[in-house]
């Protein structure tokens, strides 16, 4: 009855402030009308009257909920960090609300006389409030950094908006990633910071240390999986063909002190897999593959690029027990691409290897195999036959 008979008419006549004054005169603590105030807040939120809701929350001195409403004002409807940069004031207000709440909890804050327990005001522990304030402060740093980045790079690099080029149309209705979302959204924020960080490196921009530090803080503060963030950032850089920035990313990951060689190799392999692999990218991808330390991973990367010959030549340098499965992978790729030359070469290698395994160590067949395998000096004489002592012709693949 209160909502329909009192609140709605007050809203329609623009007299919400007058209604608040009447309620405060009746009970300065607002405890006696708390039931009506909570129903009013629920009604305003359901109808989407968030500015009226915020006004009422301030009147109720419900600082925690008021801070949440300010955070919504910050991110709602924004499609780029250029827009978020213009709405930073709402984060500042949210932080002020939480600070006021902490002061009131400690008995130092000003305000109307309150009862010992205000059940209608949202309560939160001091540690949780401090954590939320830290998140707001970090989001402010992220926003300022990305606002400058988007402003500075929009005229220098194509497609550097918040959405990826493949998903911009389908994600127009989605919210811009901020630190107020779940772990996937926080990871996207860290990825975006790293993307612009390395893009600025390539464009000769400033604030490079700032960008890397912010991304590292996001990863640490929210306990994100660092490797997953690196992979997402690498994918985005590859899609924009920023291969120099990918190499900078690899360098930073390698020097971070937390990543292993396998992590760096996995990052390169993932970037190669995500690349378009157009002829114009061949040289850049080759350079990335050469950064891989693990022979097996390097072979997988060559196969992803359709480079069967270097994959085969690397595979047969390994001991037969390690080489066998890798040569089998090359053979499968040759069959998939109908490369008869490489198919014959791989089949012959596997045939000789199987013979050597059956004969055992110390037998003539095995000694002959181990004699020519490491040198890779094979020449195709006719389909299915080889002769030792000659380099393979360069036009095999």
């Amino acid at each position: 009855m209160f909502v329909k008979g009192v609140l709605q008419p007050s809203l329609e006549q623009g007299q919400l402030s007058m209604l608040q004054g009447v309620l405060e005169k009746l009970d300065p603590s607002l405890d006696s009308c708390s039931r009506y105030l909570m129903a009013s807040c629920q009604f305003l939120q359901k109808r989407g009257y968030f500015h009226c809701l915020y006004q009422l929350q301030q009147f109720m001195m419900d600082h925690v909920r008021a801070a949440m409403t300010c955070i919504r004002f910050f991110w709602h409807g924004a499609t780029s960090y250029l827009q978020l940069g213009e709405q930073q004031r709402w984060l500042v207000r949210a932080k002020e609300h939480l600070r006021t709440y902490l002061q009131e909890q400690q008995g130092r804050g000003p305000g109307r006389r309150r009862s010992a327990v205000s059940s209608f005001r949202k309560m939160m522990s001091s540690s949780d409030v401090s954590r939320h304030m830290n998140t707001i402060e970090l989001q402010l740093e992220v926003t300022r950094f990305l606002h400058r980045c988007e402003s500075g790079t929009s005229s220098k690099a194509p497609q550097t908006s918040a959405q990826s080029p493949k998903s911009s149309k389908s994600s127009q209705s989605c919210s811009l990633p901020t630190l107020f979302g779940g772990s996937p959204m926080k990871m996207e924020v860290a990825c975006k910071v790293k993307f612009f960080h390395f893009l600025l490196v390539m464009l000769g921009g400033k604030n490079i240390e700032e960008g890397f530090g912010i991304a590292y803080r996001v990863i640490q503060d929210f306990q994100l999986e660092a490797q997953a963030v690196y992979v997402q950032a690498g994918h985005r850089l590859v899609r924009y063909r920023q291969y120099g920035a990918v190499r900078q990313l690899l360098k930073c990951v390698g020097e971070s002190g937390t990543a292993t060689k396998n992590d760096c190799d996995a990052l390169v392999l993932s970037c190669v897999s995500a690349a378009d692999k157009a002829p114009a990218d061949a040289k850049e991808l080759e350079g990335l593959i050469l950064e891989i330390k693990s022979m097996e991973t390097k072979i997988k990367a060559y196969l992803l690029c359709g480079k069967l010959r270097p994959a085969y030549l690397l595979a047969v340098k390994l001991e037969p027990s390690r080489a066998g499965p890798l040569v089998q992978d090359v053979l499968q790729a040759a069959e998939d691409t109908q490369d008869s030359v490489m198919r014959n070469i791989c089949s012959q290698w596997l045939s000789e290897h199987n013979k050597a395994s059956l004969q055992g160590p110390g037998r003539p067949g095995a000694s002959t195999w181990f004699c020519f395998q490491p040198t890779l000096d094979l020449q195709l004489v006719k389909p299915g036959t080889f002769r030792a002592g000659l380099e393979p012709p360069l036009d095999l693949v």
Side-chain angles (χ1 to χ4, degrees):
M1 291 295 294
F2 178 84
V3 171
K4 186 175 181 180
V6 179
L7 177 65
Q8 283 187 282
S10 298
L11 291 174
E12 292 170 359
Q13 298 171 21
Q15 295 180 344
L16 181 59
S17 297
M18 184 179 296
L19 174 61
Q20 292 172 353
V22 172
L23 294 175
E24 188 171 16
K25 283 183 180 180
L26 292 174
D27 180 6
S29 71
L30 302 181
D31 285 344
S32 61
C33 55
S34 62
R35 190 161 54 98
Y36 307 116
L37 291 172
M38 292 303 297
S40 299
C41 289
Q42 293 171 1
F43 170 80
L44 294 173
Q45 182 173 352
K46 185 176 180 180
R47 290 294 183 91
Y49 300 157
F50 287 99
H51 285 279
C52 293
L53 173 64
Y54 179 53
Q55 179 180 335
L56 196 56
Q57 287 169 339
Q58 291 182 92
F59 167 71
M60 296 164 59
M61 297 184 68
D62 193 351
H63 294 295
V64 174
R65 289 192 177 97
M68 294 177 177
T69 302
C70 288
I71 290 172
R72 185 188 185 279
F73 287 148
F74 165 72
W75 60 259
H76 184 70
T79 58
S80 73
Y81 268 88
L82 288 173
Q83 290 179 304
L84 284 185
E86 305 300 324
Q87 298 173 186
Q88 295 179 62
R89 67 186 185 280
W90 290 112
L91 289 186
V92 175
R93 285 195 187 183
K95 193 174 171 184
E96 290 173 353
H97 280 297
L98 294 178
R99 184 182 292 112
T100 301
Y101 175 82
L102 282 179
Q103 292 174 348
E104 290 185 354
Q105 291 299 105
Q106 298 166 0
R108 296 187 288 109
R112 66 173 63 90
R113 186 168 61 257
R114 296 172 295 134
S115 60
V117 178
S118 299
S119 59
F120 64 92
R121 298 183 180 95
K122 186 173 181 62
M123 305 299 290
M124 187 177 289
S125 67
S126 298
S127 59
D128 285 342
V129 172
S130 298
R131 179 169 53 83
H132 286 303
M133 290 178 68
N134 290 336
T135 299
I136 291 172
E137 185 60 39
L138 186 52
Q139 179 63 58
L140 279 169
E141 291 187 47
V142 169
T143 302
R144 291 163 186 155
F145 176 74
L146 292 179
H147 179 267
R148 290 197 301 270
C149 289
E150 289 193 353
S151 299
T153 62
S154 59
S155 61
K156 297 180 182 180
Q159 291 183 318
T160 55
S161 62
Q163 307 296 340
S164 66
K166 294 183 180 180
S167 61
S168 59
K169 183 176 180 180
S170 61
S171 57
Q172 285 177 350
S173 60
C174 298
S175 300
L176 193 70
T178 68
L179 298 178
F180 304 114
S183 292
M185 187 173 284
K186 291 182 177 73
M187 189 171 295
E188 173 65 16
V189 172
C191 167
K192 187 172 177 64
V193 172
K194 280 192 173 293
F195 167 71
F196 273 108
H197 162 70
F198 291 108
L199 185 61
L200 283 175
V201 172
M202 302 313 298
L203 295 176
K206 299 180 180 179
N207 299 316
I208 303 306
E209 295 80 5
E210 178 189 4
F212 191 82
I214 291 173
Y216 185 78
R217 282 181 57 195
V218 172
I219 292 172
Q220 293 296 312
D221 287 2
F222 298 103
Q223 299 180 341
L224 303 179
E225 186 181 349
Q227 182 69 7
V229 175
Y230 298 146
V231 166
Q232 284 192 31
H235 283 190
R236 186 165 296 182
L237 290 168
V238 164
R239 286 200 298 270
Y240 296 128
R241 290 183 166 83
Q242 297 293 328
Y243 294 103
V246 174
R247 285 190 288 273
Q248 288 284 339
L249 172 61
L250 285 171
K251 182 174 181 293
C252 289
V253 172
E255 295 175 352
S256 66
T258 59
T260 66
K261 291 182 179 180
N262 289 339
D263 291 333
C264 295
D265 287 353
L267 175 57
V268 176
L269 185 64
S270 181
C271 289
V272 171
S273 177
D276 288 337
K277 303 174 191 64
D281 300 324
K283 185 176 179 181
E284 296 287 358
L285 291 175
E286 176 77 18
L288 287 180
I289 292 173
L290 292 177
E291 299 283 345
I292 298 176
K293 301 298 186 290
S294 165
M295 196 72 77
E296 285 88 348
T297 305
K298 188 175 291 187
I299 290 168
K300 290 179 182 178
Y302 275 127
L303 290 177
L304 285 174
C305 295
K307 295 181 176 293
L308 306 190
R309 182 176 183 271
Y312 169 79
L313 293 175
L314 286 177
V316 296
K317 286 182 179 179
L318 303 173
E319 59 186 25
S321 61
R322 294 172 61 193
L326 296 171
V327 174
Q328 187 67 48
D329 291 341
V330 179
L331 174 60
Q332 183 62 53
E335 291 176 346
D336 293 341
T337 58
Q338 298 182 347
D339 188 334
S340 58
V341 175
M342 287 307 302
R343 184 177 63 239
N344 291 338
I345 292 175
C346 293
S347 296
Q348 180 67 21
W349 190 98
L350 292 169
S351 176
E352 292 289 345
H353 172 68
N354 290 335
K355 289 180 182 178
S357 299
L358 290 173
Q359 290 173 350
R363 298 193 177 187
S367 63
T368 302
W369 165 247
F370 288 117
C371 178
F372 71 79
Q373 184 269 334
T375 62
L376 305 177
D377 50 354
L378 307 177
Q379 182 180 13
L380 184 62
V381 179
K382 63 181 180 178
T385 63
F386 293 86
R387 185 175 67 206
L390 298 174
E391 292 292 331
L394 295 179
D395 59 348
L396 280 179
V397 294

